[in-house]
Amino acid sequence: MQLSIVFLITSFFTFIFIILKIRKNGLNIDDSIIWIIWGILLLILSLFPQIPTYISDILGFMSTSNFIFSIFIFFLYILLFVQSIQISKLKEKQKELIQKLSLKEKNERDSKK
């Protein structure tokens, strides 16, 4: 019971923190969708602790805590994958910008001659 209360309070504060960061423009809207869904999921799991217990029994986990840890790890892998995609896109844009800048500088040097 005490763990459920701690989990509920923690998930509530996490959700509030996410909302405050979105309002202050500290978090991109695209990225915030994932965090809002995560915050809602945490609130649901903390309000109804029988849900993860039921799902962990169906999936064959030894304990509910193992199932919760697996969910957290899966969520982190999703975030890592999304951020890897974003980094790849940014690297490609950076490469294009460097090439355009180099061509522009070369054209300016050629026009001065």
Side-chain angles (χ1 to χ4, degrees), residues 43-100:
L43 280 172
I44 291 172
L45 291 178
S46 63
L47 288 173
F48 305 105
Q50 59 272 30
I51 292 174
T53 303
Y54 177 73
I55 295 173
S56 67
D57 288 341
I58 288 175
L59 295 177
F61 284 88
M62 295 295 243
S63 69
T64 306
S65 62
N66 290 345
F67 173 68
I68 299 293
F69 283 131
S70 296
I71 288 175
F72 277 90
I73 291 169
F74 180 70
F75 176 72
L76 291 174
Y77 275 128
I78 290 172
L79 282 179
L80 179 66
F81 181 70
V82 169
Q83 288 180 347
S84 294
I85 291 171
Q86 290 173 344
I87 289 171
S88 294
K89 288 180 183 179
L90 288 172
K91 283 182 179 179
E92 190 62 33
K93 285 182 182 181
Q94 179 187 21
K95 183 175 120 183
E96 289 176 16
L97 286 172
I98 289 171
Q99 290 172 347
K100 286 180 183 180

Side-chain angles (χ1 to χ4, degrees), residues 2 10 14 17 19 25 29 31 34 37 44-45 58 63 69 78-79 87 92 95-96 100 103-104 106 113:
Q2 291 174 350
T10 305
T14 302
F17 180 74
I19 298 299
N25 289 329
I29 296 296
D31 297 332
I34 294 172
I37 291 171
I44 291 172
L45 291 178
I58 288 175
S63 69
F69 283 131
I78 290 172
L79 282 179
I87 289 171
E92 190 62 33
K95 183 175 120 183
E96 289 176 16
K100 286 180 183 180
L103 285 173
K104 182 180 176 183
K106 183 188 179 302
K113 291 181 182 180

